[in-house]
Amino acid sequence: MSYDNENIFAKIIRGEFGCIKVYEDDHVIAFMDIMPQADGHTLIVPKEAAETLSDLSDDGAAAAIKVVKKIVGAVKVAMDVPAATVMQLNGSEAGQTVPHIHFHVIPGSILGGKPHAREMADQELLKGFADKIIAALG
Ligand code: AMP
């Protein structure tokens, strides 16, 4: 399937659409999920134009997982939780709603929890969580 350059995460990466950012480097950007499954739900998005994990280069995958690891640590500290879930959906049949590769870091467990991409969160609340995560990233 061909990559859709106009998807929302491509626009965020190009700076055409805003986000509540917690981290950025040359390869990856991380920001708060606007319809979170839990307080502190963060998305890690490789900048490479790829729809699913299978489309991402090995270097892109390596860069992304390093940031996922950092964000897991920071989210646990920032949200004061003992555990976090990493979720990554590949393809709409798996529930992927944005056609650009990304990893979810969700404080706590998602088993039995609320589904993702349903309810918009308050932006000020998200900014508060982002500040805590940024502080925990050091
Ligand atoms: P997935 O279903 O795995 O593709 O997850 C996409 C995630 O992106 C969902 O959890 C949405 O809540 C989230 N999302 C969609 N649009 C935005 C946006 N503009 N900024 C931040 N998160 C978003």
Side-chain angles (χ1 to χ4, degrees), residues 9 20 22-23 28-46 63-89 101-111 114 116-117 126 129-130 133 136-137:
F9 291 174
I20 301 175
V22 298
Y23 177 87
V28 180
I29 184 168
F31 48 85
M32 304 312 292
D33 193 304
I34 46 164
M35 291 171 273
Q37 259 172 285
D39 288 351
H41 185 161
T42 306
L43 299 174
I44 294 87
V45 183
I65 205 70
K66 283 183 190 167
V67 178
V68 170
K69 185 178 170 186
K70 275 189 219 283
I71 298 289
V72 166
V75 159
K76 282 167 64 182
V77 169
M79 305 311 297
D80 194 20
V81 290
T85 300
V86 175
M87 180 173 86
Q88 200 278 306
L89 306 175
I101 171 78
H102 53 281
F103 298 79
H104 299 254
V105 171
I106 305 164
S109 173
I110 57 170
L111 302 175
K114 68 175 184 175
H116 76 301
L126 291 185
F129 296 143
I133 294 168
L137 280 168

